[in-house]
Amino acid sequence: MNTTKRIILTGATGLVGRKLFAALRERGYAVVIFSRNPDAARRVLPGAAEYIAWSPAEDGPWAAAIDGAHAIINLAGAPISQGVIGVRWTPAYKEEILSSRVIGTRGLVKAIAAAQNRPTVLVNASAAGFYGYSTTATFDEDSPAGSDFVAKVSIAWEREAQRASEYGVRVAFIRTGIVLDPDAGALGQILIPFRVRAGGPIMPGAQYYSWIHPDDEIGLFLFALENEQISGPLNGTAPNPETNRDFSEILGKVIGSPSWLAVPEFSLRLTLGEMADLVVKGQRVVPNRAQKLGYTFAYTELRPALQDLLG
């Protein structure tokens, strides 16, 4: 890979960003990190070509770095959740979730429009929550959007990114499900009761968890980056989602912990309010388009994925 190919990466210090940064460097790209705190990013992720001060805004000195870049990968946005335990969705925080994505992406597209040498591709993060919630439907990349809060955020985020296509830039979206990372994100929180032998399903238990191994999440971003025929959405989910009940049972067996202590929905509602929808509802999302375009998943089944991650 030619090291002169510069990749702008936002959200590099997040769960996916850290792993993607390492993968990009391994492939020989010169990674330019856009960060609210460049000094902190340099400490956490040494070895980038540049560390540039950036925050979700429509304008800034950072815009000059877009000119001549090969690609932009945009992951930045306030966390929708931090797993089972997270920030409650107050009206102010919901606005931050939305604006951090929409305004930040709008600024990147504005910089693309102004650049003399524009990037060839924008790979933008999105969420499997784009499709809304259902215990019966199966969603692929051709399914319509939902109407709940996360779906509306995803729609608005993708709409802003898609505007880059007006300037000749190929645009792809990765609609990510639950990224299995034992040290962070949803899995890190789900593991807590299992570690003390008090794990179990979150009621009603029939809701689907559309999960993905980190290796495949990074693989899909690279796949979208490097394949010129790919534009539009790819579902960042493994081919075989599991119901929460089965997810809990498999997780318990993998780590040798009971999985019978069910968590009632009402207790999560009291604690998390509307954000409880993320764990008591669900969606069965499958990556049909990604597979048809030629992506081969390293982990298609939950048990081997968890065994790899949890030993």
Side-chain angles (χ1 to χ4, degrees), residues 82 105 132 141 145 179 202 222 227-228:
Q82 298 174 12
T105 305
E141 289 91 345
V179 181
I202 296 171
L222 295 174
N227 288 269
E228 294 181 0

Side-chain angles (χ1 to χ4, degrees), residues 2 25 49 52 78 82 93 114 122-123 126 134 171 173 199 203 244 272 293 296:
N2 190 335
R25 288 196 65 222
I52 295 177
Q82 298 174 12
Y93 192 66
L122 167 61
V123 184
S126 186
S134 176
V171 181
F173 310 101
M203 300 309 290
N244 176 257
L272 302 178
L293 287 169
T296 300

Side-chain angles (χ1 to χ4, degrees), residues 170 223-231:
R170 178 170 62 87
F223 185 65
L225 171 69
E226 296 175 344
N227 288 269
E228 294 181 0
Q229 75 273 24
I230 295 174
S231 62

Side-chain angles (χ1 to χ4, degrees), residues 255-304:
I255 67 172
S257 174
S259 59
W260 55 269
L261 190 60
V263 179
E265 178 179 342
F266 77 85
S267 66
L268 289 172
R269 293 283 180 201
L270 288 173
T271 305
L272 302 178
E274 183 185 358
M275 200 180 74
D277 286 350
L278 296 175
V279 288
V280 302
K281 297 183 178 181
Q283 60 272 124
R284 188 179 190 179
V285 179
V286 293
N288 285 356
R289 187 163 182 265
Q291 291 182 300
K292 287 178 181 177
L293 287 169
Y295 183 78
T296 300
F297 281 81
Y299 295 91
T300 60
E301 301 289 344
L302 180 62
R303 184 186 294 270

Side-chain angles (χ1 to χ4, degrees), residues 96-155:
E96 183 179 351
I97 288 171
L98 177 63
S99 64
S100 64
R101 288 163 171 77
V102 169
I103 295 175
T105 305
R106 185 177 299 160
L108 293 174
V109 173
K110 187 175 179 179
I112 288 171
Q116 291 187 339
N117 297 298
R118 292 168 178 160
T120 61
V121 58
L122 167 61
V123 184
N124 211 81
S126 186
F130 175 93
Y131 304 105
Y133 302 112
S134 176
T135 57
T136 57
T138 298
F139 302 107
D140 65 15
E141 289 91 345
D142 293 323
S143 298
S147 58
D148 60 274
F149 171 65
V150 176
K152 290 177 180 177
V153 169
S154 301
I155 294 165

Side-chain angles (χ1 to χ4, degrees), residues 10 34 36 53-63 66 74 76 99-111 160:
T10 75
F34 276 20
R36 291 175 183 269
W54 175 84
S55 61
E58 293 195 30
D59 301 283
W62 48 265
I66 301 291
N74 181 28
S99 64
S100 64
R101 288 163 171 77
V102 169
I103 295 175
T105 305
R106 185 177 299 160
L108 293 174
V109 173
K110 187 175 179 179
E160 288 296 330

